[in-house]
């Protein structure tokens, strides 16, 4: 199942550059290049080969971990992406963690009293969360908390320039700072984290609320819960049963949501100058640096596939029944 | 030619049916309709509402806050933000409506054929759609627009194309369920050609779910097109498009000139919110499972 998916992913990334008929040769050769230089660069890049051969070459390079060099900076793309991935993971982890920590209980509570006041209010709020452009929310937060109130640092990077970052252990400045007992670094990292994490959490909580509510409603209507209710179990026990039975579909949903949230996170990084993979990728797209774009898009897709696999494993652990299929 | 008698008789009834259909919408969905209609009026008749020309600059009034003369203030070029926000509604609709139409026109036939024919074609298409789902839609849209050329037309085409799998999937699932039903088999037995079965027998019975998605997908298209403009891809800066205006205002947010980015953002939220409210209401009507069960 995974192998054809991976081939498809590599194919889409490969086509991304070919589909527009972009010509890297002109970019690399510069305005003064002669016709011979042009053909030489074409040959160098393998652009004189037929399309299917180019795809095989590209696929082979990807398998070997060679994502090529940036058209603009000539730096190897893989290296840039690995260092920046850790920076992004920190934001993604806290953002989705907080989003799920808010979204799941709220969604469950809304489902316990459908069409009650709490349900109505959260429904409007979650639809609003669907509608707010992430980057605009980030800008508004910067305006309120940095400019007006002065509580937050300016949206530039993940640690103050005056503080030396802690040594690399997990890639998260906050956790590394705590491990090192470097309170100054940890504190600075935390203050830089709060706004972007809040932004990502708000955006990710909206769909989680909506979907959790829908899942829990279906579970509440199921025979299991109706029987439990008929037995006269306490409301607390009933809620525990609903929660246990909703867990699998909720985890699956949050897993699939991560794909989209990685895109959202890129925009947050862009606004807060976070310096992670997302900002790198968006800058590459804006500048037309297409080897970097390919590497970025491929990394995001592979990350999604990895998340799907992890979700499958987690589901198999908490729900052994699903292994039978 | 005078209008025929039957026509005169039927139209009030048809209108009555439509009104009854609308009254099934929940109050929140009706609020969505009101918001969309308001923006539609702004988009169609923006000339009536604009107080200034949206692209002419007043060099002596750069970055002025909201005032009696400029209700939403002026931006870094000295252009009137209120008029630009009003004009921006044209882009919201002008991109979303054709994008959704393209997505429907591609997605529905593909879904019909894939579901009806089945076999290798269906398998390959579904694999491709599965593969596309692994990519964050916003990043894919950005990258494809950047790669294929940055024009407004291209933004519309790419959004429509990337969104078509949503409709194809929905229709395909419905077709699969109906493929071997009696009415389809009798249509085949009666000697209808395949295209007739697809478009006259299956299409009317499978299109409902897809149509219910259009409002939500339009909301998606408005959001994504604004995001593209925010990054300066597809739509460039002086254009009075909301995302492009937020981009212009981004740098002023940390220096205190909030009005440049806030107002286009609020307009964008309202339109997307209205479309989402409507979409949510339609889904509730069509999908009884989503209605709260007692």
């Amino acid at each position: 199942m995974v192998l054809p998916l991976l081939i498809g992913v590599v194919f889409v990334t490969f086509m991304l550059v070919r589909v527009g008929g972009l010509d890297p040769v002109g970019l690399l050769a510069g305005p003064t290049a002669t016709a011979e230089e042009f053909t030489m660069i074409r040959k160098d890049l393998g652009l004189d080969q037929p399309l299917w051969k180019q795809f095989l070459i590209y696929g082979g390079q990807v398998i070997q971990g060679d994502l090529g060099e940036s058209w603009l900076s000539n730096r190897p793309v893989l290296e840039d992406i690995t260092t920046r991935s850790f920076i992004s993971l920190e934001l993604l982890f806290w953002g989705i963690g907080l989003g799920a920590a808010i979204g799941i209980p709220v969604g469950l509570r809304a489902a316990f009293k459908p069409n009650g006041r709490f349900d109505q209010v959260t429904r409007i709020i979650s639809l609003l969360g669907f509608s707010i452009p992430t980057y605009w929310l980030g800008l508004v937060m910067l305006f309120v908390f940095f400019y007006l109130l002065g509580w937050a640092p300016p949206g530039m990077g993940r640690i103050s320039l005056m503080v030396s970052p802690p040594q690399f252990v997990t890639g998260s400045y906050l956790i590394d700072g705590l491990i090192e007992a470097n309170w100054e670094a940890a504190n600075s990292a935390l203050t830089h984290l709060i706004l972007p994490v809040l932004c990502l959490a708000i955006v990710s909580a909206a769909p989680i609320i909506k979907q959790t509510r829908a899942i829990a409603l279906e579970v509440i209507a199921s025979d299991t819960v109706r029987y439990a209710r008929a037995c006269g179990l306490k409301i607390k026990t009933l809620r525990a049963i609903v929660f246990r039975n909703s867990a699998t579909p909720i985890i699956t949903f949050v897993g699939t949501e991560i794909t989209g949230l990685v895109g959202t996170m890129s925009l947050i990084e862009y606004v807060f100058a976070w310096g992670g993979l997302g900002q790198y990728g968006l800058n590459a797209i804006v500048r037309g640096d297409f080897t970097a774009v390919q590497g970025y898009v491929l990394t995001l897709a592979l990350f999604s596939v990895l998340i799907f696999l992890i979700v499958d494993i987690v589901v198999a652990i908490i729900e052994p029944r699903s292994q039978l299929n | 030619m005078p209008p025929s008698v039957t026509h005169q008789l039927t139209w009030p009834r048809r209108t009555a049916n439509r009104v009854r259909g609308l009254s099934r919408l929940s109050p929140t969905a009706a609020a969505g309709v009101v918001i969309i209609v308001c923006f539609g009026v702004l988009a169609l008749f923006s000339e009536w509402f604009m107080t200034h020309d949206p692209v002419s600059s007043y060099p002596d009034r750069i970055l002025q806050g909201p005032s009696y003369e400029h209700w939403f203030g002026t931006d870094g070029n000295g252009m009137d933000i209120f008029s630009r926000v009003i004009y921006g509604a044209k882009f919201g609709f002008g991109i979303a409506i054709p994008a959704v139409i393209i997505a429907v026109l591609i997605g529905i036939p593909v879904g019909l054929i894939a579901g009806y024919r089945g076999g290798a074609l269906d398998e390959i298409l579904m694999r491709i759609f599965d593969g596309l789902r692994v990519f964050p839609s916003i990043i894919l849209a950005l990258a494809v627009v950047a790669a294929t050329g940055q024009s407004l037309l291209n933004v519309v085409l790419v959004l429509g194309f990337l969104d078509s799998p949503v409709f194809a999937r929905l229709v395909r699932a419905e077709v699969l369920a109906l493929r071997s039903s009696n009415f389809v088999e009798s249509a085949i037995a009666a000697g209808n050609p395949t295209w007739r079965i697809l478009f006259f027998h299956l299409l009317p019975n499978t299109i409902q779910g897809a149509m219910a998605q259009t409002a939500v997908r339009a909301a998606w298209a408005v959001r994504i097109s604004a995001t593209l403009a925010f990054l300066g891809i597809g739509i460039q800066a002086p254009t009075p498009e909301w995302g492009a205006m937020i981009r212009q205002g981004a740098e002023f947010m940390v220096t205190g000139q909030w009005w440049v980015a806030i107002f286009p953002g609020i307009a964008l939220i309202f339109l997307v919110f209205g479309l989402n409210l409507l979409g949510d209401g339609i889904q509730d009507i069509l999908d009884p499972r989503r209605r709260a069960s007692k």
Side-chain angles (χ1 to χ4, degrees), chain B residues 242-253:
Chain B
W242 295 330
M245 294 170 71
I246 297 175
R247 175 185 178 80
Q248 281 182 302
E251 53 172 316
F252 301 123
M253 281 306 252

Side-chain angles (χ1 to χ4, degrees), chain A residues 96-112 118 122 201 204-216 239 242-244 246-255:
Chain A
I96 292 182
L98 189 62
I102 298 169
I104 294 172
V106 169
L108 285 173
R109 176 151 178 218
F112 288 138
F118 184 80
T122 47
S204 63
I208 294 178
I209 290 176
K210 191 179 171 188
Q211 200 65 21
T212 305
R213 175 183 176 275
I215 291 167
R239 286 184 179 182
V242 171
F243 179 68
R244 182 64 185 83
S246 317
T248 317
I250 290 175
I251 289 172
T252 315
F253 175 75
V254 174

Side-chain angles (χ1 to χ4, degrees), chain A residues 178-305:
Chain A
L178 290 176
I179 290 173
E180 233 177 65
N182 183 349
W183 307 124
E184 203 191 354
N187 185 37
S188 175
L190 180 68
T191 52
H192 280 78
L193 257 175
I194 288 176
L195 287 190
V197 163
L198 212 59
C199 209
L200 190 56
I202 290 173
V203 177
S204 63
I208 294 178
I209 290 176
K210 191 179 171 188
Q211 200 65 21
T212 305
R213 175 183 176 275
I215 291 167
L217 275 180
E218 226 166 288
V219 171
I220 289 170
S222 71
D223 289 347
T224 321
V225 176
R226 281 169 58 207
Y227 175 69
R229 188 183 277 175
C231 289
L233 292 180
K234 272 183 296 186
I235 195 81
K236 226 174 166 180
T237 327
L238 278 176
R239 286 184 179 182
I241 294 173
V242 171
F243 179 68
R244 182 64 185 83
N245 282 286
S246 317
T248 317
I250 290 175
I251 289 172
T252 315
F253 175 75
V254 174
T256 51
E257 267 306 284
I258 289 179
T259 307
L261 285 174
V262 171
T264 311
M265 185 194 64
S266 299
L267 287 164
I268 295 177
E269 284 191 15
Y270 188 81
V271 169
F272 287 93
W274 193 248
L277 181 63
Q279 199 190 349
Y280 173 79
L282 288 187
N283 278 331
I285 292 176
V286 170
R287 291 186 195 139
D289 184 355
F290 271 87
T291 8
V293 174
Q294 273 184 322
Y296 165 62
V297 172
L298 186 68
T299 312
L300 295 191
L302 293 182
F303 180 69
S304 297
V305 175

Side-chain angles (χ1 to χ4, degrees), chain A residues 158-176:
Chain A
R158 11 178 233 144
I159 198 158
S160 163
L161 287 171
M162 317 296 282
V163 179
S164 58
Q167 282 213 308
F168 183 93
V169 184
T170 58
S172 157
Y173 277 172
L174 176 60
I175 295 174
D176 289 357

Side-chain angles (χ1 to χ4, degrees), chain B residues 26-39:
Chain B
S26 58
T28 46
V33 173
V34 171
I35 293 173
I36 296 166
V37 168
C38 286
F39 273 101

Side-chain angles (χ1 to χ4, degrees), chain A residues 5 16 20 22 114 123-124 127-128 130-131 133 135-136 139 143 147 210 259 267 270 282 285 290 296-297 301 304, chain B residues 133-136 139 142 147 223 226-227 230-231 233 253 255-256 258 261-262 265 268-269 273 276-277 280 284 292:
Chain A
L5 189 59
L16 206 57
L22 281 164
R123 180 174 187 165
I124 300 288
L127 275 180
L128 208 56
F130 270 103
S131 313
Y135 46 92
W136 184 83
L139 290 172
F143 173 68
Y147 178 79
K210 191 179 171 188
T259 307
L267 287 164
Y270 188 81
L282 288 187
I285 292 176
F290 271 87
Y296 165 62
V297 172
S304 297
Chain B
R133 273 221 289 209
V134 178
F135 297 93
I139 302 300
L142 282 169
R223 274 185 56 177
T227 308
F230 172 71
L231 292 167
I233 293 171
M253 281 306 252
T255 54
W258 50 272
I262 292 267
L268 178 58
I269 291 173
F273 186 53
N276 273 331
L277 280 177
D280 204 53
D284 268 2

